[in-house]
Amino acid sequence: MWSDLLTQRGVCLVLSAPSGAGKSTIAKALRAREAGLVNSVSVTTRPPRPGEQEGVDYFFRSAEQFADMAAAGEFAEWATVFDRCYGTPKALVEKALAGGYDMIFDIDWQGFQQLRAAMPQDVVGVFVLPPSLAALRQRLHGRGTDSAAVIEERMDKALAEISHWREFDHVLVNDALEDAIDQAHAILIAARSAVARQGGFAALGF
Amino acid sequence: MWSDLLTQRGVCLVLSAPSGAGKSTIAKALRAREAGLVNSVSVTTRPPRPGEQEGVDYFFRSAEQFADMAAAGEFAEWATVFDRCYGTPKALVEKALAGGYDMIFDIDWQGFQQLRAAMPQDVVGVFVLPPSLAALRQRLHGRGTDSAAVIEERMDKALAEISHWREFDHVLVNDALEDAIDQAHAILIAARSAVARQGGFAALGF
């Protein structure tokens, strides 16, 4: 059957967004819908928080071990956030995709660019926007009793992230959550049938 | 709201396939699902069949009128099949897309190439494959009591069409009809959020 020749290889679905746009909620809802959609488990140098499990939440490694892995090119993407390192082990991604699992990544635009460079045929990038600048500001406010200066700093960071939306494949506004989930889901399904990914069928010689 | 800035312009969804792959069934099911998905109505030089309505099934025109329209560049794509001409009026497509309607086209690879050249930002192309060569042969047989030579001629034509699958954006195998419809539907939804189509949001200056 020709359906066996179309690729069964998984897709890397990247969701990027400014903080407060709701991408983690969308990612969680997608994983609940699609049993074959697995979370990427990162390596990190930060210590485990109570309840976090090695190999489930993160792979916890020392800064030295992390540096060795990075030097050996073992990461599909990695970044330093507040002096802590986070990286996606290339071998695990490769294993999941080859096994037919799709993966979902909750990373920023720099991580997306690294991941795309590492596995250009496998990655589809979705940029999630908040409903509006005003709504974003409100959500960043809503997190607590931070000073105006702290809120403005978060807004600046969010705007800097948003400035990279053009580099992604798709953009969606998280206006109505269910619609945003439906759209992200459709993007994942559509990505599976992309002609560029059908090396197996191409091998038939048609 | 930013969702108002993302394009509301419709998408041209092209389904191409060898005869017998079931693309018309998929197109019909999609139109039933999506009220905003309209059929492209073609201009043709063939005479109306009983029950066919002007402006609903086709726009019926003389060969001379058709030639004038073609010469004036009024077609987004056109073709001659068995001495009859069929063409898609560009103005109608433009009107539907600008009004936020998606359009579905049941055309061959040559029509797809013309349409893409005419409106490159608007078109997403899906190539529909039959489950296998054996299944295709069986479907072409199933149509009546044609001679082996006629069947082979149809197979050759189908294979020639299939040889263009790489030129499309997506490929799907019509193995299980409901799955094929779901995939085509997801491709349509995903196409709406493509970054390349978001000129309105780009104008914000982010």
Side-chain angles (χ1 to χ4, degrees):
Chain A
M1 302 288 273
W2 282 353
S3 47
D4 300 330
L5 294 166
L6 294 191
T7 187
Q8 308 300 314
R9 184 175 169 88
V11 172
C12 291
L13 180 71
V14 174
L15 295 185
S16 285
S19 174
K23 70 175 188 291
S24 305
T25 311
I26 296 171
K28 199 175 161 189
L30 277 180
R31 288 198 305 275
R33 278 198 196 178
E34 287 266 341
L37 183 61
V38 299
N39 227 351
S40 164
V41 178
S42 297
V43 176
T44 185
T45 60
R46 80 156 168 74
R49 291 175 190 151
E52 283 185 341
Q53 289 175 40
E54 164 76 14
V56 176
D57 299 292
Y58 287 98
F59 298 100
F60 298 99
R61 297 288 181 272
S62 69
E64 195 185 6
Q65 286 171 321
F66 194 99
D68 286 347
M69 290 179 75
E74 292 181 25
F75 291 123
E77 60 85 31
W78 68 275
T80 304
V81 183
F82 296 125
D83 285 342
R84 303 298 193 182
C85 299
Y86 298 83
T88 303
K90 211 184 283 179
L92 287 185
V93 177
E94 185 51 44
K95 191 179 168 188
L97 299 188
Y101 292 96
D102 298 315
M103 298 192 83
I104 190 160
F105 292 81
D106 177 347
I107 51 182
D108 70 5
W109 68 274
Q110 296 176 79
F112 168 63
Q113 288 202 343
Q114 289 181 44
L115 192 64
R116 167 151 283 175
M119 14 194 33
Q121 299 294 314
D122 296 313
V123 177
V124 58
V126 181
F127 197 85
V128 181
L129 288 167
S132 67
L133 269 192
L136 179 65
R137 188 181 297 271
Q138 200 165 11
R139 288 187 198 180
L140 294 177
H141 261 292
R143 293 203 165 178
T145 54
D146 298 304
S147 69
V150 168
I151 304 285
E152 283 317 303
E153 200 178 309
R154 284 191 196 138
M155 279 299 286
D156 287 350
K157 223 182 133 203
L159 290 176
E161 186 73 23
I162 290 174
S163 73
H164 292 278
W165 73 276
R166 276 186 195 77
E167 296 152 26
F168 289 76
D169 302 303
H170 297 268
V171 58
L172 57 88
V173 173
N174 186 11
D175 206 344
L177 180 62
E178 280 301 313
D179 290 350
I181 297 165
D182 285 345
Q183 284 176 54
H185 196 188
I187 290 165
L188 173 64
I189 295 169
R192 290 180 187 142
S193 68
V195 160
R197 304 184 73 245
Q198 311 305 331
F201 192 75
L204 266 193
F206 282 112
Chain B
M1 302 289 273
W2 282 354
S3 47
D4 300 330
L5 294 166
L6 295 190
T7 188
Q8 308 299 316
R9 186 175 166 85
V11 172
C12 291
L13 180 71
V14 174
L15 297 184
S16 285
S19 173
K23 71 174 185 295
S24 305
T25 310
I26 295 171
K28 200 176 160 186
L30 277 180
R31 287 199 306 275
R33 278 198 197 180
E34 288 265 342
L37 183 62
V38 299
N39 227 351
S40 164
V41 178
S42 298
V43 176
T44 184
T45 60
R46 79 155 168 75
R49 292 175 189 151
E52 283 185 341
Q53 288 175 39
E54 165 74 14
V56 176
D57 299 292
Y58 287 98
F59 299 100
F60 299 99
R61 296 290 180 271
S62 70
E64 195 184 6
Q65 287 171 318
F66 193 100
D68 287 347
M69 290 180 75
E74 292 180 26
F75 292 123
E77 61 85 31
W78 68 276
T80 304
V81 183
F82 297 126
D83 286 342
R84 303 298 193 182
C85 298
Y86 299 83
T88 303
K90 210 185 283 179
L92 287 185
V93 176
E94 185 52 43
K95 191 179 168 187
L97 298 188
Y101 292 95
D102 298 315
M103 297 192 82
I104 190 161
F105 292 82
D106 175 348
I107 50 182
D108 70 4
W109 69 273
Q110 295 177 78
F112 168 64
Q113 288 202 342
Q114 289 181 45
L115 192 63
R116 166 151 285 174
M119 12 194 35
Q121 298 293 316
D122 297 312
V123 177
V124 58
V126 180
F127 198 85
V128 181
L129 288 167
S132 66
L133 270 192
L136 179 66
R137 189 181 296 269
Q138 200 165 11
R139 289 185 197 181
L140 294 178
H141 260 293
R143 295 202 163 179
T145 53
D146 298 303
S147 69
V150 169
I151 303 286
E152 282 317 303
E153 200 178 309
R154 285 192 194 138
M155 279 299 287
D156 287 351
K157 224 184 133 203
L159 290 176
E161 187 72 24
I162 290 174
S163 73
H164 291 279
W165 72 276
R166 275 186 196 77
E167 296 152 25
F168 289 76
D169 302 301
H170 296 269
V171 58
L172 57 87
V173 173
N174 186 11
D175 205 344
L177 180 62
E178 280 301 313
D179 289 350
I181 297 165
D182 285 344
Q183 284 176 54
H185 196 187
I187 290 164
L188 173 64
I189 295 169
R192 290 180 188 144
S193 68
V195 161
R197 304 184 74 245
Q198 310 306 331
F201 192 75
L204 266 193
F206 282 112

